[in-house]
Amino acid sequence: MPELPEVEVVRRGLVSWVRGRTITSVDVLDPRSLRRHALGPEDFAGNLEGARVLDVVRRGKFLWMPLADTPAASGNPDSSAAPVPAVALMAHLGMSGQLLMQDPGVPDEKHLKVRLRLSPAAGMPEQLRFVDQRIFGGLFLTSLIPTDDGGPGGLAETPLPLIAEEAAHIARDPLDPNFSFDVFYRRLRARKTGLKRALLDQGLVSGIGNIYADEALWKAQLHYARPTDTLRRADALRVLDAARAVMTDALAAGGTSFDSLYVNVNGASGYFDRSLNAYGREGLECKRCAAAGRVGLLKREQFMNRSSYTCPVCQPRPRNGRW
C-alpha cells in the first residue's frame, strides 16, 4: 500500500498537472470504485463536471482536491468572485490505486475505473485516470470542514484552514510544518503500548506505515517493543527525526515500490527500496553493525499481522517490551 512519501509524490505531480484546470466531463467505467460516494455515479459526475480544481492537498496518506463552486452552482453570476471551496474530490488509493495523467491517444489501461477530462492546458495531458487493479481504493466527493488543530488542513500549495471531513481525525505527519512534537510526545507518554504500534496509529502521528516505521526504528536504534509510557524525550525525538529523514529520502527517490502497482502520475515506479536498511532484509547483514565491525543479521518477526525487521545487535529487545 502506498505510504506517505508515495502519496506526496502523487500530490506534487497532480499539483503540476491538475491545479487550476476545470473538469469538463467524467466517465465512470466501474461503479465499484465509487462505492464510497453514496449518491452514485450520476451524482458524482454531475457535481464534478464544470468544477475547477483549486489545489491538491494531503494529510497523512489522505489525498483530496478542493473544488471551486461554479458561478451557476453558487448562484453568483460574477465569475470573477473568489471561489470558496465547500467540497473536494477525495482519492483513496488503497492497495493498488493509481492516478495517471494521460493524453486521449494513449490506450485505456486494463484496470481503468474512472476518467476525468480536463480543460486544455499547453503541454499537459488532457485526462486524469483512476486505475485500480484490486478495487480497494476509490474516488468520492466529501465536505470540507474547519480544522481543529490550527493552521491549514494539510500540505498544499495554497493552504486553507479546511480539511476533508474523512481526514479530520488524522494527526499531522512529521513532514507537516505544523506538526507539534510536544503534542505528539505528551500523547505518546500517555499510552501504554509498544513504540511501533504507536507510530502506526494514524490518530497519533500520520503517514508512518509499516515499511518506514521499521526503517525509522532501525535508524534510531530502537526496538519496536520499547514501551511508550517510559520513553525518554530524547529517544522520542530521535525516532521522529529518523522517520522524517527516512521519508524525506524516500520522497526524493520517488517512494518505495516493490512491484508495478505503485506509480506516480507519470507512470514511473519509486526506487527507494534499493536504499532500505531493515525492511525486507531478513537474514542479511546489518549495514551499521558491519561498518562497526560487528556481526548482526536482520531478523523478521510477526507483528500485527505484518512483519517487523530488526537487528538484534543494535536494536536489542527491551526486557519490559510491549507489543
Side-chain angles (χ1 to χ4, degrees):
M1 181 175 182
E3 298 196 35
L4 183 149
E6 288 78 24
V7 178
E8 177 62 11
V9 167
V10 172
R11 188 196 74 82
R12 293 183 183 185
L14 289 175
V15 166
S16 300
W17 297 104
V18 175
R19 187 178 56 165
R21 299 174 71 178
T22 298
I23 300 169
T24 58
S25 68
V26 179
D27 296 329
V28 178
L29 288 80
D30 190 339
R32 291 178 296 175
S33 290
L34 301 184
R35 63 187 177 280
R36 293 177 178 85
H37 189 80
L39 298 180
E42 290 187 6
D43 180 84
F44 178 81
N47 279 284
L48 281 181
E49 291 174 355
R52 184 162 60 92
V53 178
L54 293 178
D55 206 346
V56 185
V57 186
R58 178 186 62 75
R59 170 72 76 96
K61 293 183 280 187
F62 284 72
L63 187 72
W64 67 91
M65 303 174 215
L67 303 172
D69 289 335
T70 61
S74 64
N76 182 3
D78 181 8
S79 60
S80 64
V84 179
V87 298
L89 172 61
M90 186 75 120
H92 177 60
L93 299 181
M95 293 292 292
S96 60
Q98 302 171 4
L99 288 167
L100 302 175
M101 295 298 304
Q102 302 282 13
D103 282 314
V106 176
D108 287 349
E109 292 76 8
K110 179 179 179 181
H111 301 287
L112 177 63
K113 306 302 180 184
V114 181
R115 178 192 294 110
L116 307 182
R117 292 183 177 86
L118 304 173
S119 56
M124 295 188 182
E126 294 182 14
Q127 297 182 5
L128 175 60
R129 301 177 180 181
F130 179 71
V131 177
D132 192 1
Q133 177 178 330
R134 298 173 181 169
I135 322 180
F136 292 153
L139 303 177
F140 59 96
L141 292 174
T142 184
S143 299
L144 292 172
I145 60 176
T147 60
D148 62 1
D149 58 359
L155 290 186
E157 305 304 304
T158 53
L160 295 167
L162 299 170
I163 190 169
E165 190 170 14
E166 284 76 8
H169 67 290
I170 299 297
R172 295 188 182 273
D173 64 72
L175 300 184
D176 190 322
N178 289 284
F179 177 83
S180 170
F181 173 78
D182 289 336
V183 171
F184 164 77
Y185 183 61
R186 183 173 66 251
R187 297 180 63 194
L188 181 74
R189 285 290 299 263
R191 303 185 180 210
K192 293 186 177 182
T193 188
L195 182 54
K196 181 175 179 179
R197 187 179 289 270
L199 292 176
L200 295 177
D201 183 348
Q202 302 297 293
L204 177 65
V205 55
S206 66
I208 303 178
N210 196 46
I211 296 174
Y212 296 113
D214 280 358
E215 291 298 304
L217 289 166
W218 181 89
K219 188 177 181 66
Q221 300 187 56
L222 293 170
H223 193 275
Y224 65 82
R226 183 77 173 268
T228 57
D229 54 323
T230 59
L231 193 68
R232 295 177 301 176
R233 184 180 180 89
D235 290 335
L237 183 60
R238 190 165 81 252
V239 75
L240 256 294
D241 284 344
R244 187 177 293 112
V246 166
M247 291 192 291
T248 298
D249 289 344
L251 180 58
T256 303
S257 179
F258 292 99
D259 55 31
S260 61
L261 293 181
Y262 162 69
V263 295
N264 64 23
V265 294
N266 290 323
S269 294
Y271 53 89
F272 184 67
D273 58 297
R274 303 173 190 174
S275 303
L276 295 175
N277 291 302
Y279 188 87
R281 301 189 72 246
E282 179 184 11
L284 298 180
E285 193 174 51
C286 171
K287 298 175 185 178
R288 178 170 49 232
C289 288
R294 302 188 299 262
V295 178
L297 301 180
L298 274 296
K299 182 179 179 181
R300 173 183 174 273
E301 296 177 287
Q302 288 294 321
F303 178 84
M304 294 176 61
N305 296 319
R306 311 180 198 183
S307 296
S308 272
Y309 297 86
T310 59
C311 173
V313 176
C314 59
Q315 293 173 271
R317 180 190 298 271
R319 286 178 293 180
N320 58 341
R322 291 199 177 98
W323 285 259

